[in-house]
Amino acid sequence: MKISIIGATGFVGKALVNEALLRHHQVMAISRHSNQLSQHAHLITMAGDITDTPWLTARLRGQDIVISAFNGGWQNPNLYQDTITGNQSILQAVRQSGVKRFIVVGGAGSLEIALGVDLIDSPDFPAAIKPGAQAVKEFKQTLQTIQDLDWTFVSPAAVLEPGERTETFRIAGNQLLMNGHVPAKISVEDLAVAILDEAEKPKFIRKQFTAAY
């Protein structure tokens, strides 16, 4: 498949690029810093601003699937608004490009910890990342109103960290996965496996899912 990965030099984005290339897909890596990626026969890098919607639209035309690992930057003082603006531009570009398959990597904040209660609403949720998590949750709500696009919203486990590619993890819907009384973990490498599995064999069209050990 021809796969465009937005945010390709970020923590999740790099893992997605590596996993997609491992599976012999044609990858277009889109990032301001795409020159940081190693050259590969099946990799095209595009450096640009994703808020430039016409530029992004032109890049996405002809692709089979777009995977967005866009992040507004956790240290960004304007995190909420920049996340909103970036996601809106990406969504508009996907729709204008004609690509029908769109996978969004969100956060664990929008996973339910009880009926009608999301992790972001819990008193222990970190205040520093709450603006970004709220913006991502609102983007999920926007996606849920769209019926003419085959979107999927992916939430990692509450703890996402570097690790190993084991291909052994649990998949669930919109519920936060736990290990006993503590939130479950997953490596970024296995999160990428779960996302590329969904790209190749969709099971969560217009739905949310999560992956954890």
Side-chain angles (χ1 to χ4, degrees), residues 61-78:
R61 286 197 179 99
Q63 297 293 292
D64 296 312
I65 183 169
V66 175
I67 304 176
S68 175
F70 165 70
N71 184 302
W74 295 119
Q75 308 303 318
N76 179 359
N78 200 34

Side-chain angles (χ1 to χ4, degrees), residues 159-209:
V159 180
L160 178 64
E161 55 193 9
E164 297 181 356
R165 182 183 186 276
T166 70
E167 299 184 84
T168 304
F169 45 80
R170 295 177 284 161
I171 295 290
N174 65 342
Q175 303 290 321
L176 180 72
L177 290 172
M178 304 287 289
N179 276 327
H181 296 292
V182 297
K185 302 179 179 182
I186 194 168
S187 71
V188 69
E189 292 83 1
D190 273 337
L191 178 65
V193 171
I195 292 169
L196 266 296
D197 285 350
E198 173 64 21
E200 293 176 347
K201 296 181 179 180
K203 296 179 180 178
F204 293 92
I205 298 294
R206 290 186 285 280
K207 294 179 181 178
Q208 179 181 9
F209 81 89

